[in-house]
Amino acid sequence: MKHIAIFQDNLKVGGVQKALINILREIDYSRCQVDLYLFDEGSFFDMPAFENLRVIHLNSKFASLDRLVYFNLLYRFARDVTQGRFYDVAVDFNSYQNACAVGVLKSKARKKIMWIHNDMEIKLKNEPKYRILWHFFKNKLNYYDEFAAVSPGIIDGFRKVSGIQDKSITPIPNHIDTEEIFRKKDLPVDFHPDPEKLNLCSVGRICHQKGYDLLVNYLAQVKKTRRDFHFYLIGDGPDKSALENQIKNLDLKNNITLLGNQANPFCYMDKMDGFVLTSRYEGQGMVIREAQALGLPLYISKNLEPYNPGIAGYENIPEALIHAAKPERKIYNNLSAYNAAITQSLNRILGLS
């Protein structure tokens, strides 16, 4: 019986959180005991319950200003929050928060792993705040034994900016819980898009990375040629007000609806005719695979291809949407081959194979 510790900041709204929930449902608990350490209580998602899954809430999260302290100092004076428990594997599933890193690195674990969720090279170029935080915490990367990356497309960039060349990095895309998707897609919802229109959607945080400002500009171009479309965005975020102003200024209020965060996005997505994503960069973009499971035509920008092997992107999103048609029939996809490969890689890195 293996003993595994997983550290995550919280289980609130977010792709990282959802990815962790899916992994917790996929682990074979007949072969391991998993302790999930969280620094915040409450969960936006349905928390799985297994006999050998224990959730431990911690109250030792670092203060915000500690992000501006060099990690070596934090590590030097921190304590082992696991109370001396022994683990075969300890996982920093967050990769951003210093508290998760210290939790893993101070633990008595034979192997210490970090999950990489984003294209760090492009993130550093795009986000000044992240460049500052990176300056202070980058040294923590040297303490880990190996890494998992949510797509092969982010590995080279990580090695380049981190300087880590000699440690193993295993590509493990995000597992997609298609059973949950198919169960929840049929739940009742008071939402009825116009059947005479091409109804498009996206799901994600409204922030710079997700590029919804780019997509709104693309939709303004589409409207010059066709008006029989409506775009629904499921999500919220810090750039929501700016996006609302952009929609108003481009006279798109009758073509775009912001639905906010939804605990069950699948019953909305299932009523759509296509899924659109134009992120500036990603780690993977789990919602793309969720849309694929629902049989939605995918309109993703070309730059997202390296993060999603096997899915073709478009060089010209406006042109693709101008010529898009309502699908005659949507074919659901349980992603069995995709998920089976992930399970194999997950078992190997956790020592369960």
Side-chain angles (χ1 to χ4, degrees):
M1 179 70 72
K2 298 288 185 178
H3 292 82
I4 299 169
I6 300 176
F7 285 79
Q8 166 59 14
D9 184 38
N10 62 67
L11 289 177
K12 298 176 182 178
V13 179
V16 171
Q17 290 85 344
K18 178 59 175 173
L20 177 55
I21 290 290
N22 287 355
I23 281 180
L24 292 174
R25 289 176 179 157
E26 180 63 16
I27 288 175
D28 182 358
Y29 292 97
S30 68
R31 303 165 68 186
C32 65
Q33 164 74 48
V34 176
D35 288 345
L36 173 61
Y37 290 90
L38 297 172
F39 292 92
D40 280 331
E41 295 191 28
S43 176
F44 180 79
F45 304 99
D46 297 331
M47 183 68 191
F50 296 96
E51 183 178 351
N52 283 343
L53 171 60
R54 177 171 56 177
V55 179
I56 301 171
H57 292 282
L58 301 169
N59 58 5
S60 56
K61 186 176 181 178
F62 293 122
S64 296
L65 288 178
D66 285 339
R67 292 181 297 176
L68 302 180
V69 176
Y70 287 106
F71 181 80
N72 287 346
L73 289 175
L74 294 176
Y75 177 74
R76 179 179 179 183
F77 294 105
R79 61 185 179 86
D80 178 6
V81 296
T82 72
Q83 299 181 355
R85 297 184 181 95
F86 170 82
Y87 293 102
D88 294 284
V89 179
V91 175
D92 174 359
F93 199 79
N94 183 276
S95 80
Y96 295 104
Q97 298 293 335
N98 284 333
C100 293
V102 168
V104 168
L105 298 174
K106 280 290 185 177
S107 71
K108 293 179 172 62
R110 287 177 177 169
K111 184 166 67 171
K112 300 173 182 181
I113 302 169
M114 174 188 277
W115 237 256
I116 310 167
H117 296 280
N118 225 318
D119 190 323
M120 289 187 176
E121 182 181 19
I122 299 181
K123 190 175 179 69
L124 282 166
K125 293 177 181 177
N126 275 262
E127 300 181 26
K129 179 181 176 181
Y130 187 72
R131 287 199 293 273
I132 295 171
L133 298 178
W134 172 268
H135 173 76
F136 288 99
F137 76 55
K138 63 183 179 181
N139 285 336
K140 73 183 180 184
L141 302 173
N142 297 314
Y143 292 89
Y144 292 90
D145 299 307
E146 60 182 284
F147 301 84
V150 296
S151 73
I154 66 176
I155 293 177
D156 287 347
F158 173 76
R159 288 201 187 278
K160 180 178 178 181
V161 299
S162 68
I164 293 174
Q165 302 295 331
D166 59 342
K167 295 183 179 181
S168 174
I169 303 178
T170 302
I172 306 179
N174 292 310
H175 187 275
I176 305 300
D177 189 343
T178 54
E179 289 186 9
E180 178 195 26
I181 292 172
F182 297 153
R183 182 179 72 252
K184 289 186 173 182
K185 73 178 179 61
D186 293 325
L187 294 178
V189 61
D190 187 16
F191 173 71
H192 308 282
D194 186 344
E196 299 301 317
K197 292 185 177 180
L198 177 73
N199 294 297
L200 305 166
C201 72
S202 191
V203 183
R205 191 164 183 257
I206 305 177
C207 61
H208 176 78
Q209 174 181 338
K210 296 299 181 180
Y212 289 120
D213 56 322
L214 303 178
L215 180 52
V216 168
N217 285 333
Y218 295 154
L219 293 175
Q221 296 179 47
V222 173
K223 189 177 178 181
K224 294 177 181 178
T225 301
R226 65 182 299 179
R227 294 176 177 268
D228 62 330
F229 73 91
H230 200 102
F231 172 69
Y232 296 89
L233 174 54
I234 301 170
D236 207 334
D239 294 348
K240 180 181 178 180
S241 293
L243 193 69
E244 288 175 328
N245 289 332
Q246 183 184 6
I247 291 169
K248 179 180 178 181
N249 293 336
L250 291 174
D251 192 26
L252 289 170
K253 293 185 70 174
N254 292 328
N255 300 92
I256 298 177
T257 299
L258 306 184
L259 293 171
N261 289 325
Q262 299 295 331
N264 177 15
F266 308 119
C267 56
Y268 293 86
M269 296 170 69
D270 192 47
K271 297 178 183 294
M272 299 296 169
D273 303 309
F275 177 86
V276 191
L277 194 66
T278 58
S279 301
R280 288 180 167 88
Y281 54 95
E282 284 287 352
Q284 181 195 19
M286 186 164 56
V287 291
I288 297 174
R289 295 294 181 179
E290 292 173 338
Q292 184 184 31
L294 288 168
L296 293 177
L298 303 175
Y299 303 96
I300 69 169
S301 47
K302 193 74 172 177
N303 65 300
L304 298 182
E305 284 185 348
Y307 312 123
N308 300 276
I311 296 180
Y314 289 89
E315 293 280 5
N316 190 325
I317 290 291
E319 189 71 15
L321 296 181
I322 286 170
H323 293 98
K326 295 171 76 73
E328 294 183 7
R329 184 168 66 97
K330 289 185 289 187
I331 301 175
Y332 298 120
N333 185 342
N334 64 12
L335 304 178
S336 58
Y338 168 86
N339 280 331
I342 293 169
T343 299
Q344 283 189 332
S345 296
L346 180 65
N347 286 340
R348 281 198 300 271
I349 201 169
L350 295 180
L352 300 177
S353 57

